[in-house]
């Protein structure tokens, strides 16, 4: 459980840089629901997830949401340090979805590292490229994939992330992940229920037939 | 007309790096319609636009397209060098929209530069952040903005880019920029015509009332 192990570029730093990094990095526990970053103004720093789960989403003027990507153990969040990248100009909100433990490299020091160390700058590139790829996948989904497939995919992923077929998630929450209205989610879930793929009870969606949901993705 | 002037990070290279860069960089004229890059496999190198215009778009399995961004004089295209960024995994096609003149920094040398020079690595970061911001703007448009506003915005931008109110563009082409079907474009253009904002003739759309289109964006 050391920062050296979770920050892949640590080995490539000089002894002095390593020492300073360990001195300035903070370790913090955050409760489920904590907003780590909200829009371009916030600037917490580079966040490394030790344990937990976060969601990055954007919000429309009228309050609709869509999830851009999620962060799990060992993931690194660049957008909480967006302030030091002047060309990155969009608003993302990052919220803890579970009680989590994180390291935070303060923005001033992360900027210093990035500007003096080619490995750190290139690693930052890799991080951005990964998120860029996530977001491009999302555009493909929104543009070209029908909602039944997107919802089937979301439910299967959620089962895998949570390690259970009984998902404690509201239709409203799913709508906020997928950038749609609650009614649209409810309508499709009822269709899935009629087809025997899920069972709906108050506050819980139980996935009954993984294979049938997977087949839907193939169509 | 020198590469030094068009590649902003040139000044920050060592004399030796500058010399090598000038030696390996190619200058090329490309005709309108030339496909510079198609999918993840191609790897031309870092492209610097001297003069001209390019379009970066993605394509669905069934052939529908959407424009991600466009490149003009002095713009730099990172995705033609995507092969050297292993985490950048999505397919983009880049096509010349006008006869153009470009510099190409070969991928092998660009990789070498990026890995040894923190300024080049950070500049690469800036480029990626700029395109990431373009794409996030696009998601906002697709998710939250109605099609009439997107089309009004596209027509106004096109007038500005082309320097004329008489746009030689087919409804099919517009559909490919916007990721929709030709019929959807035709229907909205006819509505704009009825409202006196545009005039439609064979092969040409004439923007008659900029102010009214701009007002549409404000609603």
């Amino acid at each position: 459980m050391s920062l050296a192990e979770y920050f892949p570029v640590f080995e490539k730093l000089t002894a002095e840089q390593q020492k300073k990094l360990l001195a300035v990095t903070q370790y913090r526990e955050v409760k489920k629901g904590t907003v780590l970053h909200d829009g371009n103004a916030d600037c917490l720093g580079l966040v490394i997830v030790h344990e937990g789960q976060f969601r990055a989403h954007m919000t429309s003027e009228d309050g609709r949401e869509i999830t851009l990507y999620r962060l799990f153990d060992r993931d690194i969040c660049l957008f909480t340090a967006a302030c030091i990248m002047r060309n990155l100009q969009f608003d993302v909100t990052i919220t803890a979805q579970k009680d989590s433990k994180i390291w935070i490299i303060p923005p001033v020091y992360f900027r210093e590292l990035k500007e003096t160390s080619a490995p750190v700058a290139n690693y930052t590139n890799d991080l951005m490229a990964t998120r860029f790829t996530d977001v491009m996948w999302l555009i493909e989904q929104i543009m070209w994939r029908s909602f039944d497939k997107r919802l089937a995919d979301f439910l299967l992923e959620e089962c895998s992330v949570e390690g259970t077929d009984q998902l404690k998630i509201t239709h409203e929450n799913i709508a906020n992940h997928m950038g749609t209205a609650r009614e649209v989610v409810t309508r499709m879930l009822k269709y899935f229920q009629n087809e025997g793929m899920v069972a709906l009870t108050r506050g819980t969606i139980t996935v009954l037939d993984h294979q049938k949901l997977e087949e839907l993705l193939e169509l």
Side-chain angles (χ1 to χ4, degrees), chain A residues 45 86 132 161 190 194 205 209:
Chain A
R86 65 179 176 285
F132 204 154
V161 165
K190 281 186 178 153
N194 290 339
I205 300 163
D209 194 336

mmCIF file with all atom_site columns, all heavy atoms in Angstrom, chain A residues 45 86 132 161 190 194 205 209:
data_model
loop_
_atom_site.group_PDB
_atom_site.id
_atom_site.type_symbol
_atom_site.label_atom_id
_atom_site.label_alt_id
_atom_site.label_comp_id
_atom_site.label_asym_id
_atom_site.label_entity_id
_atom_site.label_seq_id
_atom_site.pdbx_PDB_ins_code
_atom_site.Cartn_x
_atom_site.Cartn_y
_atom_site.Cartn_z
_atom_site.occupancy
_atom_site.B_iso_or_equiv
_atom_site.pdbx_formal_charge
_atom_site.auth_seq_id
_atom_site.auth_comp_id
_atom_site.auth_asym_id
_atom_site.auth_atom_id
_atom_site.pdbx_PDB_model_num
ATOM 1  N N   . GLY A 1 45  ? -5.984  18.506  -7.715  1.00 0.00 ? 45  GLY A N   1
ATOM 2  C CA  . GLY A 1 45  ? -4.680  17.911  -8.040  1.00 0.00 ? 45  GLY A CA  1
ATOM 3  C C   . GLY A 1 45  ? -4.873  16.572  -8.720  1.00 0.00 ? 45  GLY A C   1
ATOM 4  O O   . GLY A 1 45  ? -6.001  16.188  -9.025  1.00 0.00 ? 45  GLY A O   1
ATOM 5  N N   . ARG A 1 86  ? -4.045  24.175  -19.701 1.00 0.00 ? 86  ARG A N   1
ATOM 6  C CA  . ARG A 1 86  ? -4.855  25.318  -20.119 1.00 0.00 ? 86  ARG A CA  1
ATOM 7  C C   . ARG A 1 86  ? -5.769  25.022  -21.300 1.00 0.00 ? 86  ARG A C   1
ATOM 8  O O   . ARG A 1 86  ? -6.773  25.689  -21.492 1.00 0.00 ? 86  ARG A O   1
ATOM 9  C CB  . ARG A 1 86  ? -3.953  26.522  -20.421 1.00 0.00 ? 86  ARG A CB  1
ATOM 10 C CG  . ARG A 1 86  ? -3.028  26.328  -21.597 1.00 0.00 ? 86  ARG A CG  1
ATOM 11 C CD  . ARG A 1 86  ? -2.173  27.571  -21.849 1.00 0.00 ? 86  ARG A CD  1
ATOM 12 N NE  . ARG A 1 86  ? -1.228  27.321  -22.935 1.00 0.00 ? 86  ARG A NE  1
ATOM 13 C CZ  . ARG A 1 86  ? -0.119  26.586  -22.837 1.00 0.00 ? 86  ARG A CZ  1
ATOM 14 N NH1 . ARG A 1 86  ? 0.191   26.029  -21.676 1.00 0.00 ? 86  ARG A NH1 1
ATOM 15 N NH2 . ARG A 1 86  ? 0.666   26.400  -23.880 1.00 0.00 ? 86  ARG A NH2 1
ATOM 16 N N   . PHE A 1 132 ? -9.782  9.997   -23.340 1.00 0.00 ? 132 PHE A N   1
ATOM 17 C CA  . PHE A 1 132 ? -10.236 10.405  -24.670 1.00 0.00 ? 132 PHE A CA  1
ATOM 18 C C   . PHE A 1 132 ? -10.877 9.200   -25.371 1.00 0.00 ? 132 PHE A C   1
ATOM 19 O O   . PHE A 1 132 ? -11.954 9.299   -25.971 1.00 0.00 ? 132 PHE A O   1
ATOM 20 C CB  . PHE A 1 132 ? -9.044  10.932  -25.472 1.00 0.00 ? 132 PHE A CB  1
ATOM 21 C CG  . PHE A 1 132 ? -9.398  11.881  -26.574 1.00 0.00 ? 132 PHE A CG  1
ATOM 22 C CD1 . PHE A 1 132 ? -8.469  12.816  -27.013 1.00 0.00 ? 132 PHE A CD1 1
ATOM 23 C CD2 . PHE A 1 132 ? -10.634 11.859  -27.198 1.00 0.00 ? 132 PHE A CD2 1
ATOM 24 C CE1 . PHE A 1 132 ? -8.761  13.705  -28.033 1.00 0.00 ? 132 PHE A CE1 1
ATOM 25 C CE2 . PHE A 1 132 ? -10.939 12.750  -28.224 1.00 0.00 ? 132 PHE A CE2 1
ATOM 26 C CZ  . PHE A 1 132 ? -9.999  13.657  -28.644 1.00 0.00 ? 132 PHE A CZ  1
ATOM 27 N N   . VAL A 1 161 ? -19.258 -4.923  -12.089 1.00 0.00 ? 161 VAL A N   1
ATOM 28 C CA  . VAL A 1 161 ? -18.613 -3.985  -11.161 1.00 0.00 ? 161 VAL A CA  1
ATOM 29 C C   . VAL A 1 161 ? -19.027 -4.280  -9.716  1.00 0.00 ? 161 VAL A C   1
ATOM 30 O O   . VAL A 1 161 ? -18.205 -4.284  -8.805  1.00 0.00 ? 161 VAL A O   1
ATOM 31 C CB  . VAL A 1 161 ? -18.979 -2.525  -11.525 1.00 0.00 ? 161 VAL A CB  1
ATOM 32 C CG1 . VAL A 1 161 ? -18.635 -1.575  -10.399 1.00 0.00 ? 161 VAL A CG1 1
ATOM 33 C CG2 . VAL A 1 161 ? -18.289 -2.117  -12.816 1.00 0.00 ? 161 VAL A CG2 1
ATOM 34 N N   . LYS A 1 190 ? -39.128 -2.233  -18.340 1.00 0.00 ? 190 LYS A N   1
ATOM 35 C CA  . LYS A 1 190 ? -40.380 -3.012  -18.351 1.00 0.00 ? 190 LYS A CA  1
ATOM 36 C C   . LYS A 1 190 ? -40.397 -3.974  -19.534 1.00 0.00 ? 190 LYS A C   1
ATOM 37 O O   . LYS A 1 190 ? -40.855 -5.107  -19.407 1.00 0.00 ? 190 LYS A O   1
ATOM 38 C CB  . LYS A 1 190 ? -41.587 -2.071  -18.378 1.00 0.00 ? 190 LYS A CB  1
ATOM 39 C CG  . LYS A 1 190 ? -41.867 -1.501  -16.996 1.00 0.00 ? 190 LYS A CG  1
ATOM 40 C CD  . LYS A 1 190 ? -43.139 -0.685  -16.926 1.00 0.00 ? 190 LYS A CD  1
ATOM 41 C CE  . LYS A 1 190 ? -43.357 -0.195  -15.490 1.00 0.00 ? 190 LYS A CE  1
ATOM 42 N NZ  . LYS A 1 190 ? -44.140 1.057   -15.475 1.00 0.00 ? 190 LYS A NZ  1
ATOM 43 N N   . ASN A 1 194 ? -40.663 -8.002  -19.312 1.00 0.00 ? 194 ASN A N   1
ATOM 44 C CA  . ASN A 1 194 ? -41.605 -8.826  -20.085 1.00 0.00 ? 194 ASN A CA  1
ATOM 45 C C   . ASN A 1 194 ? -40.896 -9.940  -20.850 1.00 0.00 ? 194 ASN A C   1
ATOM 46 O O   . ASN A 1 194 ? -41.443 -11.017 -21.044 1.00 0.00 ? 194 ASN A O   1
ATOM 47 C CB  . ASN A 1 194 ? -42.388 -7.958  -21.084 1.00 0.00 ? 194 ASN A CB  1
ATOM 48 C CG  . ASN A 1 194 ? -43.364 -7.033  -20.371 1.00 0.00 ? 194 ASN A CG  1
ATOM 49 O OD1 . ASN A 1 194 ? -43.745 -7.300  -19.215 1.00 0.00 ? 194 ASN A OD1 1
ATOM 50 N ND2 . ASN A 1 194 ? -43.754 -5.964  -21.029 1.00 0.00 ? 194 ASN A ND2 1
ATOM 51 N N   . ILE A 1 205 ? -33.114 -3.933  -9.229  1.00 0.00 ? 205 ILE A N   1
ATOM 52 C CA  . ILE A 1 205 ? -33.257 -4.580  -10.532 1.00 0.00 ? 205 ILE A CA  1
ATOM 53 C C   . ILE A 1 205 ? -32.456 -5.870  -10.456 1.00 0.00 ? 205 ILE A C   1
ATOM 54 O O   . ILE A 1 205 ? -31.255 -5.842  -10.183 1.00 0.00 ? 205 ILE A O   1
ATOM 55 C CB  . ILE A 1 205 ? -32.693 -3.692  -11.661 1.00 0.00 ? 205 ILE A CB  1
ATOM 56 C CG1 . ILE A 1 205 ? -33.444 -2.357  -11.703 1.00 0.00 ? 205 ILE A CG1 1
ATOM 57 C CG2 . ILE A 1 205 ? -32.765 -4.413  -13.003 1.00 0.00 ? 205 ILE A CG2 1
ATOM 58 C CD1 . ILE A 1 205 ? -32.716 -1.278  -12.486 1.00 0.00 ? 205 ILE A CD1 1
ATOM 59 N N   . ASP A 1 209 ? -31.265 -13.085 -16.705 1.00 0.00 ? 209 ASP A N   1
ATOM 60 C CA  . ASP A 1 209 ? -30.784 -13.837 -17.865 1.00 0.00 ? 209 ASP A CA  1
ATOM 61 C C   . ASP A 1 209 ? -29.652 -13.079 -18.563 1.00 0.00 ? 209 ASP A C   1
ATOM 62 O O   . ASP A 1 209 ? -29.876 -12.290 -19.483 1.00 0.00 ? 209 ASP A O   1
ATOM 63 C CB  . ASP A 1 209 ? -31.967 -14.077 -18.821 1.00 0.00 ? 209 ASP A CB  1
ATOM 64 C CG  . ASP A 1 209 ? -31.636 -15.127 -19.868 1.00 0.00 ? 209 ASP A CG  1
ATOM 65 O OD1 . ASP A 1 209 ? -30.441 -15.327 -20.157 1.00 0.00 ? 209 ASP A OD1 1
ATOM 66 O OD2 . ASP A 1 209 ? -32.578 -15.736 -20.397 1.00 0.00 ? 209 ASP A OD2 1
#
